[in-house]
Amino acid sequence: MLYLYGESSRAEFTWTLKKSLESRGIDGKKLFVKAEKVPVSRMKVGSIGFEAAIRATGAKLVIADTLAFFSGADGESNEEFQKQLIEPTVEIAERNECFILFVHHSAKQTQGVEGVYQIRGGTTLSGAADVIMRVERCKNEPPDSKRR
């Protein structure tokens, strides 16, 4: 598994991820984390760095956190977004025989809105996805709960 991240410091992220894996009995030895000292422009989808990181690790599962960081697109709901992110992602996944999962935040105003419509990027993004999973914290769970 290759986890590409772009929003927090490497030390903070690695500590959080390893603790999460260990608490579930998962060995993190096959986990590759990449982001430190790599220019942002070299890690966008469609760039040399993005695909090179996949090839170098041989990862079959690639998690890119977040979609907005790795897309390089100005917006998330137009044809340009489709060309800049979705089409190259499909091509990279096919060439490298891997599954690419993007972490993506929901829209701000989601009260009373059905799940699939809470995704920023609307039907351009949800229509192109093979899988959409929504993750949220369980309400009223204590901070030490494994359900949070």
Side-chain angles (χ1 to χ4, degrees):
M1 175 172 60
L2 172 63
Y3 198 112
L4 301 167
Y5 67 97
E7 290 191 335
S8 62
S9 75
R10 180 182 177 97
E12 174 190 345
F13 170 79
T14 303
W15 182 87
T16 302
L17 184 60
K18 285 188 178 197
K19 288 293 178 190
S20 178
L21 291 172
E22 288 170 3
S23 74
R24 289 159 179 81
I26 300 169
D27 182 4
K29 290 184 180 130
K30 291 278 186 174
L31 171 68
F32 301 94
V33 178
K34 184 71 176 155
E36 188 175 32
K37 298 179 183 174
V38 176
V40 172
S41 61
R42 292 199 55 223
M43 292 306 292
K44 300 290 183 185
V45 169
S47 71
I48 295 168
F50 188 85
E51 191 163 1
I54 296 169
R55 276 197 224 112
T57 60
K60 295 302 173 192
L61 171 61
V62 179
I63 301 172
D65 185 358
T66 65
L67 179 133
F69 182 86
F70 288 100
S71 73
D74 293 330
E76 297 172 341
S77 59
N78 56 37
E79 287 181 34
E80 198 60 34
F81 182 69
Q82 177 88 16
K83 288 178 188 165
Q84 288 180 339
L85 177 76
I86 296 168
E87 291 171 10
T89 299
V90 170
E91 292 168 5
I92 291 167
E94 287 174 353
R95 271 195 304 272
N96 294 280
E97 298 178 351
C98 66
F99 182 84
I100 300 174
L101 182 141
F102 287 100
V103 175
H104 187 49
H105 299 286
S106 64
K108 299 282 185 211
Q109 302 297 323
T110 59
Q111 189 86 13
V113 177
E114 190 178 334
V116 72
Y117 300 109
Q118 294 179 3
I119 300 168
R120 288 193 335 235
T123 57
T124 298
L125 185 57
S126 61
D130 289 332
V131 177
I132 297 174
M133 293 182 277
R134 182 167 177 227
V135 179
E136 64 182 44
R137 289 181 184 231
C138 296
K139 294 179 179 153
N140 303 319
E141 284 292 320
D144 62 343
S145 169
K146 291 189 180 194
R147 291 188 60 207
R148 58 181 288 256

